[in-house]
Amino acid sequence: MKKIVLIDDKASIAKVLGVYLNNEFEMIYFEDPLKVIEWLEAGNEPDLIISDIHMPHMEGDEFLLYIKQNQLYQHIPVVILSSEDSTSKRIQLLEQGAADFILKPFNPMELKVRIKRFL
């Protein structure tokens, strides 16, 4: 089963995604990107990461840069799931290596289809 890491400071997002994705994917939820970095450095590796932008301790764009600049993790697709509706921010994140950008509120079935493109 493919592993998806979800990073979002709102547990409600994890619950919604769990309903739609748990049957097909192993969902691993973190509220803090720094905890994901610890998890990765402990030898774990997901098949895909879904990340919010605005979170405590580290912003999603900083986390994306960390992933894409690290040779061990740069192959992992990162999908941004955020309420940030700035076109320039979306373009910036896509240029920095985000696989996709999905605006909140989102349709969970659409997200599922987009995720499957990368897996």
Side-chain angles (χ1 to χ4, degrees):
M1 189 176 284
K2 300 282 186 178
K3 280 186 207 170
I4 297 177
V5 164
L6 170 64
I7 315 164
D8 198 303
D9 57 340
K10 293 179 184 67
S12 59
I13 297 295
K15 288 178 185 172
V16 168
L17 289 181
V19 168
Y20 287 91
L21 302 177
N22 271 340
N23 290 337
E24 293 183 51
F25 307 104
E26 179 183 346
M27 297 295 297
I28 304 160
Y29 172 63
F30 295 92
E31 291 183 359
D32 185 341
L34 295 177
K35 297 291 184 191
V36 176
I37 292 171
E38 289 176 16
W39 183 81
L40 290 168
E41 291 177 351
N44 300 293
E45 185 174 315
D47 296 291
L48 182 129
I49 298 171
I50 300 172
S51 178
D52 191 7
I53 295 176
H54 302 294
M55 295 177 289
H57 305 118
M58 179 184 250
E59 291 288 304
D61 53 349
E62 294 173 281
F63 177 77
L64 176 64
L65 283 174
Y66 170 83
I67 294 294
K68 293 305 170 184
Q69 292 176 351
N70 188 315
Q71 290 198 9
L72 294 174
Y73 313 124
Q74 63 188 195
H75 66 281
I76 301 169
V78 178
V79 173
I80 304 296
L81 182 64
S82 180
S83 57
E84 175 71 52
D85 64 352
S86 162
T87 301
S88 61
K89 186 67 164 183
R90 288 196 307 265
I91 291 168
Q92 173 197 342
L93 290 162
L94 291 167
E95 286 177 339
Q96 290 174 341
D100 203 348
F101 189 107
I102 300 169
L103 196 59
K104 290 179 189 174
F106 61 97
N107 178 317
M109 294 308 293
E110 178 185 355
L111 176 62
K112 186 176 186 177
V113 169
R114 289 179 183 230
I115 287 169
K116 286 182 175 184
R117 287 189 346 210
F118 302 108
L119 303 175

